[in-house]
Every structure is written in C-alpha cells, then in structure tokens.
Amino acid sequence: MLVVRAINASDLDALYGLASQVGTGMTTLKADMKMLGDRLAIACASFAETIPPEKRDYMFVMEDTDTGRLAGVCAIKGAVGLEEPFYNYRIGTLVHSSRELDVFTRMETLYLSNDLTGSTELCSLFLHPDYRSGNNGKLLSKSRFLFIAQFPHLFTEKLIAEMRGYQAPDGSSPFYEGLGRHFFKMDFHHVDDLTSLGKKSFIAELMPRQPMYVAYLPDEAQEVIGKVHLSTAPARRLLEQEGLHFEGYVDIFDAGPVLQARVSELRALRDSMPAVLDAEAAADSCEVVQAEPYLVSNTDLKNFRMIVTNANPHSGKIALDDAELHLLRSHNGDTVRTLSLNPRKHTHVSIVLP
C-alpha cells in the first residue's frame, strides 16, 4: 500500500536514489548527497516547527509500505527569494507605432523579474517510473494541497510552481541555446547544477536588465516559451485542476511556465472538509452513493500522512479499514481531512414546477 508522509532523517539514502532518476532541469532535486542532506535537515526542522515559517521546506515522500521503498517525492517551500535571488522572465508587450508611415507593431518581450519573491512554492515533484500508474501521481501531487488546506496559516497568499521546460530528445534546451548560452558561455547542464547548489549571483551579474525582444530569438527558442518538458505535462494538468494557472512568467533558463494561484482560491481550501473517523459511518449512511476515490490525511503537522481511499465521508464521518487507519497512524474518533481526488463536475439540474 502507498502512503504520502513527512520525510524523516532516515530517508536520505532512498531520497538520493530517487534524485538520481530525475535528470536535468529540476534544480530543486539534484543527486548531490550534501545538498540533499542539508535540505532534509531543513525539512525535519520545518515539520518540528523549530525554524520560522518563511524558511521552511516541507518535503514529503511516497512510501510503498509493502517493500519500504520510496516511490516519489514532493515539497512545499514556505517562501522563495528571501535569502537568495529568485528570478523569472515576465512576458510583456511593447508597442511601436508611426502615424506617418501607418505602422503599428506589437512585440513580445522578456523582462528579468523578481516579482514572485516571497511566494510559497510547490516544487520537487518526482514519481519513480515504476509507480506511474493508477492514482499514484494524483496522490503524490495533491497531497501538498491537503497539507496547505490543513495548515493555511503557514503559507503566503500567493502559491507558485515552476514547471520544467521543454528539452529536445538529446537533453538540450532550445531556449537556453537560443538565449542563455550567449550570456553565460557554459553548458545548460552546468548552469542547472550551479543553480541547484544556490549559486545564483551570476544571473544578475551576466543577464541584461533591458527587455529582450522575443522575435530576435531563433524560431526553436520562441516555440518553447511556456512549454513544459514532455514528462512534466501530466503534473501541469494536475496543478491546473487544483486552481493554478499561467500568468506570463517563465523560467530564465529553459522558459518553462510558472503557474500561480491565490492560496485562498485553491480547490482544497474550498472543498476539503474535516471528518471524524468512525467505523460505523458507512452503515449509518442512509443514501446510496457511488463510491469515488478520496484523499484522506491526518491532522498532525509533525507526522503528516495521507492516503487515497474508496471510503467516502458522510455527515462529517468516514469509515476506514484497519490497514488504512494504520497508514495514517490514526484511530477511530480522530479527526482527519478529506478531499475528493478528482474535481467534481458541476451539473445543471432543471426543475419543472407544476
């Protein structure tokens, strides 16, 4: 069985194994033992609440309890850009016109920006290829939203997610080759590694502050602005289901889209509900309801755990079997938080009055 839980100090070796599978383009999850060890220490301190909320980095792992194997990882950073620069390109428009020549042109531009500094960030989502089936990807990605819904006071008003940008089959980035290489004079993978290690001062030192015209870039670079890596497309769809959307910010290296939302407008904030664990809840239900998968989490910050189940809440109660209770480290009588795995489609019902 699978459970998403707060990471702990004993997960370092398994986390390194997962990071080794990721490849390039995800700067927050590199196969570097020191970097991962430092980050894990911050994550443990975050769940223990021994560091301020804005410095926290909540990391979650998906564990296969039958084998003890880690199947995936994801994270929420409390706030970005407060201790090191956080850069993006903002896509803008410049208009040039001449009445005398009867010419009017609109030109897309890229502005180097720190606009998203201070935002809470969803990051480091990776599911091992062996587990990419069924509802596993949804469980891993959406666990973060249920955590935010349970503890909204720990996060900022704005939530963002940098998506990995498009890469060619050989692993190169058309956007970086068309723009970044001219300024950084180094390979894309080297820049990616430097950024993952927190060495970002070179961005401000080498990148031009003036807006850059998109039309001046090679066609291959223009075509991938705001386009995600092939393996990242499913993750983008899941985030958009939960309320995030693209507002014209992209990564400065690979031009992957930055999705964003107000925390208060997330589906999990709107639709998730507390429920009391009650073994008799299913029997007490007087309605015949078609079962649908639900996300259920405990409410323990330090030992947060979440599962997906076919048990449905009813009248503020939900019945879980013994195995599910064990996964959550919960007991009947405890309060949990619930959310339908899939957004409900709104249906319109016509009422005919006599």
Side-chain angles (χ1 to χ4, degrees):
M1 299 181 72
L2 296 175
V3 61
V4 175
R5 60 169 174 79
I7 202 167
N8 60 54
S10 65
D11 292 321
L12 181 57
D13 289 340
L15 180 64
Y16 180 85
L18 277 178
S20 301
Q21 297 279 330
V22 174
T24 59
M26 189 183 292
T27 56
T28 60
L29 196 63
K30 290 290 185 181
D32 181 290
M33 188 63 81
K34 182 182 185 308
M35 185 193 79
L36 291 175
D38 291 345
R39 190 172 179 200
L40 191 149
I42 293 174
C44 292
S46 300
F47 287 111
E49 298 189 276
T50 57
I51 56 178
E54 65 273 12
K55 294 184 178 181
R56 295 180 190 175
D57 184 358
Y58 301 97
M59 295 188 74
F60 308 88
V61 291
M62 175 185 280
E63 181 184 351
D64 183 340
T65 58
D66 292 333
T67 64
R69 182 182 181 188
L70 293 192
V73 60
C74 62
I76 313 170
K77 288 193 174 182
V80 296
L82 301 183
E83 295 184 343
E84 58 186 31
F86 188 78
Y87 295 101
N88 296 105
Y89 278 133
R90 175 169 55 86
I91 301 173
T93 303
L94 282 179
V95 173
H96 300 271
S97 64
S98 171
R99 290 188 177 182
E100 182 179 357
L101 298 178
D102 193 26
V103 173
F104 181 92
T105 61
R106 294 164 55 92
M107 303 283 287
E108 271 198 349
T109 54
L110 298 173
Y111 292 85
L112 192 63
S113 162
N114 302 115
D115 292 351
L116 302 180
T117 294
S119 302
T120 292
E121 183 187 22
L122 301 177
C123 59
S124 307
L125 177 69
F126 179 73
L127 181 63
H128 194 283
D130 292 350
Y131 289 87
R132 293 176 186 173
S133 61
N135 290 322
N136 296 347
K138 292 181 180 180
L139 169 62
L140 182 61
S141 177
K142 297 188 179 189
S143 62
R144 297 171 295 181
F145 294 98
L146 211 55
F147 185 81
I148 292 172
Q150 181 61 37
F151 308 105
H153 60 284
L154 299 177
F155 304 101
T156 63
E157 181 181 7
K158 181 174 287 186
L159 179 70
I160 65 170
E162 282 192 314
M163 310 302 292
R164 183 154 46 152
Y166 177 84
Q167 291 181 13
D170 64 0
S172 64
S173 165
F175 182 79
Y176 181 80
E177 295 303 322
L179 178 59
R181 182 177 288 277
H182 297 295
F183 296 97
F184 299 124
K185 306 297 183 185
M186 62 183 74
D187 183 75
F188 171 67
H189 304 298
H190 188 200
V191 170
D192 194 55
D193 289 339
L194 289 175
T195 304
S196 69
L197 295 173
K199 299 177 180 179
K200 298 182 179 179
S201 60
F202 69 91
I203 298 174
E205 294 166 353
L206 298 178
M207 289 300 290
R209 289 288 179 176
Q210 304 88 344
M212 289 173 286
Y213 288 96
V214 172
Y216 290 173
L217 299 178
D219 290 343
E220 295 82 2
Q222 295 184 44
E223 291 168 359
V224 300
I225 294 175
K227 186 176 179 181
V228 296
H229 191 284
L230 182 63
S231 65
T232 306
R236 177 177 184 171
R237 289 193 293 271
L238 291 179
L239 294 181
E240 289 174 336
Q241 284 182 1
E242 299 305 313
L244 278 79
H245 51 275
F246 180 55
E247 290 194 6
Y249 290 85
V250 298
D251 182 82
I252 65 170
F253 296 123
D254 60 20
V258 181
L259 305 184
Q260 55 183 294
R262 291 183 180 275
V263 166
S264 59
E265 296 174 356
L266 295 173
R267 181 177 76 96
L269 269 290
R270 183 180 67 248
D271 294 348
S272 71
M273 296 292 292
V276 175
L277 292 170
D278 186 343
E280 306 300 324
D284 290 344
S285 175
C286 297
E287 298 180 7
V288 178
V289 180
Q290 183 176 1
E292 60 175 312
Y294 259 78
L295 301 173
V296 180
S297 76
N298 65 22
T299 57
D300 185 348
L301 172 63
K302 185 175 181 180
N303 297 298
F304 182 81
R305 301 174 73 88
M306 196 193 82
I307 62 171
V308 62
T309 176
N310 286 324
N312 287 192
H314 175 74
S315 300
K317 300 178 182 179
I318 188 170
L320 300 181
D321 62 35
D322 290 342
E324 291 170 331
L325 291 173
H326 179 72
L327 288 177
L328 292 178
R329 301 294 189 267
S330 298
H331 305 87
N332 284 312
D334 291 346
T335 297
V336 294
R337 181 164 291 275
T338 68
L339 177 69
S340 59
L341 181 67
N342 302 307
R344 291 191 176 94
K345 295 180 179 179
H346 297 286
T347 57
H348 298 281
V349 178
S350 298
I351 300 176
V352 180
L353 297 177

